[in-house]
């Protein structure tokens, strides 16, 4: 302890705690807005959230925080890299730099453009009006390039955008990884397309809501999502949100004629929530108290949703319970038919409805288009046609319109062009690598899952990943957990084994 470090550190922690609590309050307002708030409350709520956010911004970007961080720099430099204080100071410095390098005038210009873009998208999408939306997208791309320039020294213009969601990840690292994935997935999809089509009509029979709700919560609780420190509510677009480590909420939507939609959404969000609930309490009130990146977060939601939730073993144990709840719909359906239906592979136009095998191709198409545009190799006006061309090439499908083409996702039109989509595929790739490491450490996991027990897996993930919060950046975390750098092979092996057996083909 030198240079009066402990006193400055204590002062910094008091300030960070205040910001942490204000962020928790914003999260409660947002959660209520998306679940219980009457429509009439929208304007007032929007203002409350904006007011609090501006308070948070000015508190966090205050020169005092910068001074404390500077003052604590010698203390940090003397610590081992994986000392908790070193991690706290590193992450706080990173957040502080990101928050202070972008001028306030730019932030409000981008925010105004984002709401205008959203409104234009909401008009353009139903009418397939590419001409209406493209000028907005031109401006978005311009804003994103300007944003990147606030972080000089980058190798690729998309790097600072990616870094905001997936710290340390770069185009140089991701491009070859995704290209390899694409080149392996495309033929897999083509092979499966030659197999008899799986009939999933059984998932669209009548499944009254109350049982769906109770069954989803039962499974989430069995996974280890702690309902004493969480809870589920209904919403339109499911999400997970944390107010603190000890209050992490999930949301879902239920359709009485789509059994898989609500159930797997609950399991997906439970994965996100268990990550947040599992963060070590010593990090409470600091910027370390959250998941470390979009990709690692998504690895946990996808692991629990797909690798566990859509596994044959899990349903060996739980399918009889589900049949007992819905004897009319499922009484005469054998387990294997149900298992095939929830894992049906079919190239489609819509990303959010895609299965495990085709999903990443949807993401890779967006990632590649973003890079081409940001590099100036593709004009914004040519996106709609290039979109169709890549869907044809990678997935063998063609959209008759733009609504189910480049206008389907809101992200680009809210200002997020570049830096967002990669997290979804990173999540799947990481999930494959992490799950393989879990199975290597505890070969009994599949047998336990088939008996309805998840504690070994949940405990291992908590110790290896959840408890560390944001202490390690994604690449370092993957290396520590799996003993290897980030790689696509375990994920590809998982897909080949599972879907090869399911479709009776060699993939
Ligand atoms: Zn997710």
């Amino acid at each position: 302890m030198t240079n009066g470090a402990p006193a400055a550190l204590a002062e910094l922690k008091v300030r960070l705690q205040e910001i942490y609590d204000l962020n928790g309050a914003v999260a409660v307002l947002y959660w209520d807005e998306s679940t219980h708030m009457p429509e009439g409350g929208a304007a007032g709520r929007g203002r409350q959230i904006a007011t609090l956010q501006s308070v948070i911004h000015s508190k966090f970007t205050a020169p005092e925080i910068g001074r404390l961080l500077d003052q604590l720099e010698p203390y940090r430099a003397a610590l081992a890299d994986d000392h908790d204080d070193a991690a706290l100071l590193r992450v706080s410095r990173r957040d502080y730099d990101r928050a202070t390098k972008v001028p306030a005038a730019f932030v409000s210009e981008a925010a105004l453009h984002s709401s205008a873009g959203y409104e234009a998208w909401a008009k353009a999408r139903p009418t397939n009006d590419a001409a209406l939306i493209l000028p907005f997208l031109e401006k978005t791309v311009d804003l994103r390039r300007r944003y990147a320039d606030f972080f000089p020294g980058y190798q690729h213009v998309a790097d600072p955008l990616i870094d905001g969601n997936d710290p340390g990840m770069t185009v140089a690292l991701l491009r070859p990884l995704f290209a390899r994935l694409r080149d392996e997935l495309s033929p897999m999809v083509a092979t499966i397309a030659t197999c008899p089509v799986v009939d999933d009509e059984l998932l669209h029979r009548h499944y009254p809501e109350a049982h769906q709700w109770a069954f989803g919560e039962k499974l989430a609780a069995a996974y280890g999502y702690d309902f004493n420190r969480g809870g589920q509510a209904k919403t339109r677009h499911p999400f997970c949100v944390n107010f603190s480590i000890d209050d992490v909420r999930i949301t879902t939507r239920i359709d009485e004629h789509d059994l898989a939609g609500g159930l797997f959404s609950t399991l997906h969000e439970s994965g996100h929530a268990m990550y947040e609930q599992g963060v070590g309490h010593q990090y409470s009130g600091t910027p370390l108290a959250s998941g470390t990146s979009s990709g690692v977060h998504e690895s946990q939601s996808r692991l629990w949703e797909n690798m566990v939730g859509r596994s044959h073993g899990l349903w060996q144990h739980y399918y009889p319970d589900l049949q007992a709840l819905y004897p009319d719909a499922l009484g005469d359906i054998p387990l294997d038919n149900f298992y095939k239906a929830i894992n049906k592979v079919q190239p489609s136009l819509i990303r959010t409805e895609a299965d495990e095998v085709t999903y990443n191709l949807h993401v890779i198409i967006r990632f590649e288009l973003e890079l081409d545009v940001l590099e100036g190799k593709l004009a914004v006006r040519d996106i709609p046609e290039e979109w169709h061309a890549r869907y044809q090439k990678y997935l063998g499908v063609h959209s008759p319109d733009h609504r189910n083409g480049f206008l389907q996702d809101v992200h680009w039109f809210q200002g997020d062009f570049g830096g967002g989509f990669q997290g979804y595929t990173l999540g799947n790739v990481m999930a494959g690598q992490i799950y393989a490491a879990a199975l290597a450490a505890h070969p009994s996991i599949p047998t336990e899952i088939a008996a309805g027990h998840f504690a070994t897996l949940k405990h291992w993930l908590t110790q290896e990943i959840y408890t560390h919060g944001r202490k390690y950046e994604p690449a370092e975390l993957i290396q520590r957990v799996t003993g290897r750098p980030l790689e696509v092979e375990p994920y590809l092996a998982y897909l080949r084994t599972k879907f090869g057996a399911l479709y009776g083909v060699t993939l």
Side-chain angles (χ1 to χ4, degrees), residues 8-9 39 59 110 178 230 257 271 281 301 311 324 354 368 373 376-377 381 396 447:
L9 189 64
E39 251 177 63
K59 279 186 179 290
F178 285 9
H257 291 278
H281 278 93
S301 55
S311 70
E368 290 183 351
V373 169
K377 285 202 289 204
R381 65 173 176 281
T447 321

Side-chain angles (χ1 to χ4, degrees), residues 371-385:
L371 295 189
D372 286 354
V373 169
L374 288 166
E375 286 169 13
K377 285 202 289 204
L378 178 70
V380 167
R381 65 173 176 281
D382 294 329
I383 289 177
E385 284 319 305

Side-chain angles (χ1 to χ4, degrees), residues 447-461:
T447 321
E448 291 176 30
I449 289 176
H453 300 309
F454 306 94
T456 304
L457 176 59
K458 162 84 187 319
H459 180 74
W460 186 85
L461 290 167

Side-chain angles (χ1 to χ4, degrees), residues 329-352:
L330 294 175
D332 61 340
I333 305 284
L335 168 63
D336 280 1
N337 294 33
F338 176 79
Y339 173 65
K340 282 184 180 165
I342 59 171
N343 285 294
K344 176 181 182 172
V345 177
Q346 189 161 46
S348 68
L349 297 169
I350 306 294
R351 176 183 64 88
T352 54

Side-chain angles (χ1 to χ4, degrees), residues 12-28 52 55-56 59-60 65 88 95 229 242-248 276-277 279-291 470:
L12 180 69
K13 282 184 173 175
V14 168
R15 288 174 180 271
L16 293 175
Q17 169 89 56
E18 200 180 21
I19 291 158
Y20 178 85
D21 289 342
L22 287 166
N23 274 316
V26 169
V28 175
L52 271 180
V55 172
I56 291 168
K59 279 186 179 290
F60 186 55
I65 299 255
L88 171 67
D95 289 354
R229 300 158 58 224
N242 64 325
F243 309 150
S244 71
I245 293 170
D246 293 316
D247 191 350
V248 185
E276 293 290 330
Q277 286 185 334
V279 171
H281 278 93
Q282 71 276 25
Y283 301 142
S284 176
T286 78
L288 296 179
S290 189
R470 291 176 72 200

Side-chain angles (χ1 to χ4, degrees), residues 238-240 268-269 272 294 297-299 301-302 305 424:
F239 62 94
C240 163
H268 180 99
E269 300 307 333
H272 283 303
S294 297
H297 235 299
E298 199 64 9
S299 79
S301 55
R302 300 291 276 182
E305 175 196 353
Y424 295 112

Side-chain angles (χ1 to χ4, degrees), residues 116-129 132-133 407:
Y118 178 81
E119 276 173 41
W121 172 77
K123 278 195 204 111
R125 187 166 183 258
T127 52
N128 282 305
D129 196 343
L132 171 70
I133 197 74
L407 289 174

